[in-house]
Amino acid sequence: MAKKVPHRLYLTEEQMPKKWYNLRADMKIKPDPLLNPSTLEPLKVEDLYPVFCEELANQEMDNTTRYIDIPEEIQEFYKMYRPSPLIRAYNLEKALNTPAKIYYKFEGNNTSGSHKLNSAIAQAYYAKKQGLTGLTTETGAGQWGTALAEACAFYNLDLTVYMVKVSYEQKPFRKTVMETFDAEVIASPSDTTEVGRAILKNDPNTGGSLGCAISEAIEKAVSTPGRRYVLGSVLNQVVLHQSIIGLESKIAMEMLDEYPDIVIGCAGGGSNLGGIIAPFMQDKLTGKASPRIVAVEPASCPSFTRGRYAYDFCDTGKVTPLAKMYTLGSSFMPSANHAGGLRYHGMSPILSRLYHDGYMEAVAVEQTKVFEAAVMFAKHETILPAPESAHAIRSAIDEAILCRESGEAKTILFGLTGTGYFDMTAYSAYLSKQMKDYIPTDEDLQRGFDKLPNVEI
Amino acid sequence: MAKKVPHRLYLTEEQMPKKWYNLRADMKIKPDPLLNPSTLEPLKVEDLYPVFCEELANQEMDNTTRYIDIPEEIQEFYKMYRPSPLIRAYNLEKALNTPAKIYYKFEGNNTSGSHKLNSAIAQAYYAKKQGLTGLTTETGAGQWGTALAEACAFYNLDLTVYMVKVSYEQKPFRKTVMETFDAEVIASPSDTTEVGRAILKNDPNTGGSLGCAISEAIEKAVSTPGRRYVLGSVLNQVVLHQSIIGLESKIAMEMLDEYPDIVIGCAGGGSNLGGIIAPFMQDKLTGKASPRIVAVEPASCPSFTRGRYAYDFCDTGKVTPLAKMYTLGSSFMPSANHAGGLRYHGMSPILSRLYHDGYMEAVAVEQTKVFEAAVMFAKHETILPAPESAHAIRSAIDEAILCRESGEAKTILFGLTGTGYFDMTAYSAYLSKQMKDYIPTDEDLQRGFDKLPNVEI
């Protein structure tokens, strides 16, 4: 018999995790190494130092340390907006008339509006500690850019953000939020970098992509003294920092004598998904439990469900190392899906490995169905979700409906990554029935696969 | 010696208040009664029934019941987004280098983005219980309209919102949020009501005002079967519901062995101010303690600091009862201040009485100084405040600076009513130095005073 479950459970500061959990330590088959794009040799950690902060490069390469101490300064910052609540969706359950118990971990209660701040503050901290004067990055939906702007303002670091043009145009106020925190925001592709100019020359009307903005941000970082490049997803270090989401969730569920049968996360580059599943995946890797773990991605950018598991560039301009991951090809240009944070051609190498090895499932959902779930959720749970987050809601609702049909009282946990206050253009399109679903054809995908680098090691 | 204070303190569900506190019960001199605008006789409760829900009308007239039970259904709804955290502003204190201890009660962690949901859900609940089919209201900044839209969606009630035109234009996405919750949103003044048409005829280019939107919403309510009118501020019932803010704050401070020397709230119509100060004002009224209580209002709409304490209409169209309150005159048309929620000519009769009787102080602040405080707060506390809330921040910072100068370690509590995600037009104007301060001249104010109804009882 489970304990009486409050609507919202907050850990105390004492209960908050003091270490991040490194999934790689428990993986029998590790993610494949990053490759130097010139030599195709596995990268050494020193190779990353010109681009990344040293400590972050070290974390990137660390496949063995199971728990990594969260520096006290970061713990203190976390306390400004964490712990995030674990919420029982009583009203959604009632509206769905389901015997399922639905929980969600809500990461939207900070000004970045999402979980992105968990890694942003860590990355800014290590940059400051190394004596750097500034950072560069890219942002899709704008949540990562906002989070990093907050973190850089806190540590008085300069910041240049390359924002995917389609998001820049859909979300005019996101730019202002970042500027409030003193960031410089540039629509990508732009004429401020060589790679940007080349992309624009090829396709002047492009809406941009995360892959393209990454290329610009890296070029800017390596050409500016005292700067390094940081990234809000995909990387191992990000999955490490985001483990705080899952660790807090697990402690809270233990307090309620609960354990999820299904853990659901939306998946763009993997920052949220890797975070929320981390300790539950550990149980699965170590044989302690076997929850279903479900990645939800947009049907318009289906890296897991229709991509290839292959070595590829992380960016469009092909300046990054090669990573082994599920990918649609770095030349794949996703359609103007409103979930800007999920419009990335690749996927975290850690999560790609786990998916490849059968530890996870993946589903792709169409955006009108996602917004239908978002609106239903908002009405019953009083939180207006980000379109990205609503992918997980869609899947949680679908699982809860299956429970209604089968009569099973499963325990579902999903990650509600953030709020949709800057996504009202998308909501407006949905409400006025102007929203369309885009699903790439096999031919569309094949064009991306054809340009994959031909690498086998 | 105070206990170790966490950054954020959340009460448990068991600790949450189960009764609202009615300030009027402890006031030796009660607020003056509402008057029938035709007869100038004090209103009877039945006179309000055509406009308000019956139970809300009863609450409006109840000057004696000290504690009123919060219905269980409302308590359950509160648990979806409450308790709100009491936050210690450690980083702001550090940035200000002040010995003061600054606490704030943050009400922005729900989709309405503010404290307004506390009263909206109560009002929708009583409307549903009475068997009504819908409500009408006005909204200034949009937070009240959003909150009521959420509440009405939850109870499946129809809702028409008259939104002050200047806010409607400054905040295009606010409308979409309300529409997501199925509300009908109309820019006010509009041609959908007689009073709106009359105002437009007189001044076709007006940006509107809360007073004008109130007139339209009331006309719509009384002319639509099954509808009633609801209001998000000014009224006694709203101050009652909002007492939850202060009650939670006081319990949390008691857990920390703290008591505020100064309690600060921004003041538009008084919903937040009346809420956060309620139990501290009780201590003052009953002689148990004597905290300073400070109302902060915009210099552009200075009801307390430059208004008259007189009987006046609550709306521009002069269809409401007359209330004795601090007022700039119902014909006063505030300039296009960005804190739309504070652009009201009058003030809660309860708070007006308390101010008149010397229980409160008031200060007026200019909007550029308010935004300066908002940006500083955002950078140090990671919350982007609403312009309304930032009035209280400005005052808290000023008090903390005085403490730095005097060396006093005062305990300051302020209400952070909400978030500024829909106010980026205003932030952008501030950041680009396009923001101006408007202060009405004595002549401007005199024009409003000249049109005050000549009523003494």
Side-chain angles (χ1 to χ4, degrees):
Chain A
M1 180 71 193
K3 290 185 189 171
K4 180 176 182 315
V5 177
H7 286 67
R8 302 193 150 213
L9 184 63
Y10 291 95
L11 305 184
T12 64
E13 288 189 355
E14 290 69 35
Q15 290 173 312
M16 284 173 67
K18 293 178 179 50
K19 295 169 192 289
W20 292 305
Y21 166 60
N22 183 3
L23 256 176
R24 289 163 287 172
D26 286 305
M27 290 169 70
K28 281 170 205 80
I29 309 176
K30 309 290 181 193
D32 292 276
L34 295 171
L35 301 185
N36 181 312
S38 314
T39 65
L40 300 185
E41 292 295 315
L43 278 184
K44 296 189 191 66
V45 68
E46 312 85 76
D47 298 334
L48 291 173
Y49 290 167
V51 179
F52 293 143
C53 306
E54 293 185 10
E55 189 57 35
L56 292 167
N58 297 344
Q59 292 178 358
E60 193 62 28
M61 306 295 265
D62 185 342
N63 279 348
T64 53
T65 311
R66 185 166 283 110
Y67 292 100
I68 293 178
D69 286 338
I70 305 174
E72 273 192 28
E73 246 182 81
I74 299 176
Q75 288 188 43
E76 282 303 299
F77 190 94
Y78 277 170
K79 288 175 190 167
M80 273 208 284
Y81 70 101
R82 307 197 68 80
S84 69
L86 180 77
I87 306 180
R88 174 76 181 267
Y90 280 118
N91 286 305
L92 182 64
E93 291 172 16
K94 196 172 154 193
L96 292 169
N97 189 24
T98 177
K101 290 182 282 185
I102 307 176
Y103 290 88
Y104 56 99
K105 179 74 166 168
F106 179 40
E107 292 286 319
N109 278 347
N110 68 78
T111 285
S112 79
S114 82
H115 66 295
K116 294 289 188 184
L117 195 52
N118 301 331
S119 185
I121 193 61
Q123 298 195 41
Y125 165 82
Y126 289 118
K128 189 71 180 180
K129 204 175 156 204
Q130 192 177 323
L132 300 174
T133 58
L135 295 171
T136 71
T137 197
E138 74 294 319
T139 197
Q143 295 175 326
W144 166 248
T146 306
L148 192 66
E150 285 187 69
C152 285
F154 192 77
Y155 281 119
N156 206 17
L157 292 163
D158 295 332
L159 175 64
T160 303
V161 179
Y162 288 89
M163 185 169 187
V164 177
K165 193 183 279 176
V166 63
S167 286
Y168 187 94
E169 288 165 359
Q170 277 173 2
K171 305 182 183 188
F173 294 146
R174 269 282 179 207
K175 173 172 172 284
T176 308
V177 181
M178 290 184 262
E179 287 171 347
T180 302
F181 293 97
D182 296 336
E184 176 188 29
V185 185
I186 298 170
S188 169
S190 75
D191 61 5
T192 67
T193 62
E194 281 184 35
V195 64
R197 288 188 290 271
I199 292 167
L200 281 174
K201 194 174 170 191
N202 188 45
D203 181 3
N205 297 318
T206 176
S209 70
L210 273 176
C212 161
I214 291 171
S215 302
E216 292 204 83
I218 293 176
E219 182 180 324
K220 174 81 174 179
V222 298
S223 61
T224 313
R227 292 249 190 158
R228 292 293 185 283
Y229 166 72
V230 296
L231 178 63
S233 194
V234 184
L235 296 175
N236 299 337
Q237 60 191 263
V238 176
V239 173
L240 173 72
H241 304 150
Q242 295 293 358
S243 68
I244 186 95
I245 306 173
L247 293 167
E248 280 187 9
S249 301
K250 196 170 178 217
I251 296 169
M253 294 201 88
E254 282 168 359
M255 289 168 65
L256 304 170
D257 290 343
E258 287 276 26
Y259 194 90
D261 297 300
I262 312 172
V263 183
I264 299 170
C266 62
S271 66
N272 154 70
L273 180 67
I276 184 127
I277 71 173
F280 305 104
M281 182 60 85
Q282 180 182 31
D283 289 346
K284 204 157 176 169
L285 289 166
T286 57
K288 283 193 196 148
S290 53
R292 283 177 56 208
I293 292 179
V294 182
V296 192
E297 62 185 12
S300 59
C301 193
S303 331
F304 271 135
T305 52
R306 298 175 68 197
R308 295 272 173 86
Y309 188 47
Y311 265 107
D312 192 12
F313 291 96
C314 300
D315 67 328
T316 309
K318 303 187 178 182
V319 302
T320 65
L322 294 162
K324 180 83 172 277
M325 58 184 177
Y326 278 85
T327 178
L328 299 167
S330 68
S331 64
F332 178 79
M333 194 60 78
S335 62
N337 182 298
H338 283 289
L342 306 182
R343 296 173 72 248
Y344 182 64
H345 68 277
M347 181 55 66
S348 146
I350 293 175
L351 298 175
S352 293
R353 183 79 247 173
L354 289 166
Y355 179 67
H356 191 70
D357 292 343
Y359 289 100
M360 279 167 46
E361 308 164 35
V363 293
V365 290
E366 295 168 26
Q367 68 173 350
T368 52
K369 295 218 165 70
V370 166
F371 275 84
E372 179 191 46
V375 171
M376 180 182 191
F377 183 82
K379 287 183 187 170
H380 292 284
E381 292 290 319
T382 79
I383 295 171
L384 188 80
E388 293 81 5
S389 323
H391 284 69
I393 297 172
R394 175 76 263 170
S395 176
I397 287 176
D398 290 344
E399 293 288 347
I401 290 171
L402 289 175
C403 285
R404 178 176 70 207
E405 290 164 0
S406 69
E408 289 173 286
K410 286 185 184 166
T411 299
I412 299 169
L413 168 67
F414 72 89
L416 188 73
T417 53
T419 50
Y421 303 124
F422 293 96
D423 299 285
M424 298 323 296
T425 303
Y427 274 91
S428 184
Y430 173 74
L431 294 172
S432 62
K433 303 193 192 309
Q434 302 298 308
M435 180 174 278
K436 288 179 187 153
D437 289 317
Y438 301 92
I439 301 179
T441 63
D442 288 342
E443 291 70 34
D444 292 336
L445 296 183
Q446 192 58 48
R447 278 194 295 277
F449 299 145
D450 287 345
K451 291 187 189 157
L452 279 172
N454 188 11
V455 177
E456 282 302 328
I457 62 161
Chain B
M1 180 70 193
K3 291 185 189 169
K4 180 176 182 315
V5 177
H7 286 67
R8 303 193 149 213
L9 183 63
Y10 291 94
L11 305 183
T12 65
E13 289 189 355
E14 290 68 34
Q15 291 173 311
M16 284 173 67
K18 292 177 180 55
K19 295 169 193 291
W20 292 304
Y21 165 60
N22 182 5
L23 256 176
R24 288 163 287 172
D26 286 307
M27 291 168 70
K28 282 171 204 80
I29 308 176
K30 309 291 182 192
D32 292 277
L34 295 172
L35 301 185
N36 182 311
S38 314
T39 65
L40 301 185
E41 291 296 314
L43 278 182
K44 296 190 191 66
V45 67
E46 311 87 76
D47 298 335
L48 291 173
Y49 291 166
V51 178
F52 292 143
C53 306
E54 294 185 10
E55 189 57 35
L56 293 167
N58 298 345
Q59 292 179 357
E60 192 62 27
M61 305 296 264
D62 186 342
N63 279 347
T64 54
T65 310
R66 184 165 284 111
Y67 292 100
I68 293 177
D69 287 338
I70 305 174
E72 273 191 28
E73 248 183 77
I74 299 177
Q75 287 188 42
E76 283 303 300
F77 190 95
Y78 277 170
K79 289 174 189 167
M80 273 208 284
Y81 70 100
R82 306 196 67 81
S84 68
L86 180 76
I87 307 180
R88 174 76 182 266
Y90 281 118
N91 286 306
L92 181 65
E93 290 171 17
K94 196 172 156 193
L96 291 169
N97 189 26
T98 178
K101 292 182 280 186
I102 307 176
Y103 290 89
Y104 55 99
K105 179 75 167 167
F106 180 40
E107 292 286 320
N109 277 348
N110 67 79
T111 285
S112 79
S114 81
H115 66 296
K116 294 289 189 185
L117 195 53
N118 301 331
S119 185
I121 192 62
Q123 297 196 41
Y125 165 82
Y126 289 118
K128 189 70 179 183
K129 204 176 156 205
Q130 192 177 323
L132 299 173
T133 57
L135 295 170
T136 71
T137 198
E138 74 294 322
T139 198
Q143 294 174 325
W144 166 249
T146 307
L148 192 66
E150 286 187 68
C152 285
F154 192 77
Y155 282 119
N156 206 19
L157 292 163
D158 294 332
L159 175 64
T160 303
V161 179
Y162 287 90
M163 186 169 186
V164 176
K165 194 182 278 175
V166 63
S167 286
Y168 186 95
E169 288 165 359
Q170 277 173 2
K171 306 182 181 188
F173 295 146
R174 269 283 178 205
K175 174 173 172 281
T176 308
V177 181
M178 291 185 260
E179 288 172 346
T180 303
F181 292 97
D182 296 336
E184 176 188 29
V185 185
I186 298 170
S188 169
S190 75
D191 61 5
T192 68
T193 62
E194 280 184 35
V195 65
R197 287 188 289 272
I199 292 166
L200 281 174
K201 195 174 168 191
N202 188 45
D203 183 3
N205 297 317
T206 176
S209 70
L210 272 177
C212 161
I214 291 171
S215 301
E216 292 205 85
I218 293 177
E219 182 180 326
K220 174 82 173 180
V222 298
S223 61
T224 314
R227 290 251 190 157
R228 291 292 185 283
Y229 165 72
V230 296
L231 178 63
S233 193
V234 184
L235 297 175
N236 300 336
Q237 60 191 265
V238 175
V239 173
L240 173 73
H241 305 149
Q242 295 294 357
S243 67
I244 187 95
I245 306 172
L247 292 167
E248 280 186 11
S249 300
K250 196 171 177 214
I251 296 168
M253 294 203 88
E254 281 167 0
M255 289 168 65
L256 303 170
D257 291 342
E258 287 277 26
Y259 192 90
D261 297 302
I262 312 172
V263 183
I264 299 170
C266 61
S271 68
N272 155 69
L273 180 65
I276 183 127
I277 71 173
F280 305 105
M281 183 59 84
Q282 180 181 32
D283 289 347
K284 206 158 176 169
L285 288 166
T286 57
K288 282 192 195 149
S290 54
R292 281 177 57 208
I293 293 180
V294 181
V296 193
E297 61 186 12
S300 60
C301 193
S303 330
F304 271 136
T305 52
R306 297 176 69 197
R308 295 271 172 87
Y309 188 47
Y311 265 107
D312 193 12
F313 291 96
C314 300
D315 67 328
T316 308
K318 305 190 177 182
V319 303
T320 65
L322 294 162
K324 180 82 174 279
M325 58 184 177
Y326 278 85
T327 178
L328 299 167
S330 66
S331 63
F332 179 79
M333 195 59 78
S335 62
N337 182 298
H338 284 289
L342 305 183
R343 296 173 72 248
Y344 182 63
H345 68 276
M347 182 55 65
S348 147
I350 294 176
L351 298 175
S352 292
R353 183 79 247 176
L354 290 166
Y355 179 65
H356 191 70
D357 293 342
Y359 289 100
M360 280 167 47
E361 306 162 36
V363 293
V365 291
E366 294 168 26
Q367 69 174 348
T368 51
K369 295 221 165 69
V370 166
F371 275 84
E372 181 192 46
V375 171
M376 180 184 192
F377 183 83
K379 286 183 186 167
H380 293 283
E381 292 290 317
T382 78
I383 294 172
L384 187 81
E388 293 82 5
S389 323
H391 284 68
I393 297 172
R394 176 74 264 172
S395 176
I397 288 176
D398 290 343
E399 293 288 346
I401 289 171
L402 288 175
C403 285
R404 180 177 68 207
E405 290 165 0
S406 70
E408 290 171 287
K410 287 185 184 165
T411 299
I412 299 169
L413 168 66
F414 73 90
L416 189 73
T417 53
T419 50
Y421 304 124
F422 292 97
D423 299 284
M424 298 322 296
T425 303
Y427 274 92
S428 184
Y430 173 74
L431 293 171
S432 62
K433 302 194 193 307
Q434 302 298 307
M435 179 174 280
K436 287 180 187 150
D437 290 317
Y438 301 94
I439 301 180
T441 64
D442 289 342
E443 291 70 34
D444 293 336
L445 296 183
Q446 191 58 49
R447 278 194 294 279
F449 298 146
D450 287 343
K451 290 186 189 157
L452 279 173
N454 188 11
V455 178
E456 281 303 327
I457 61 161

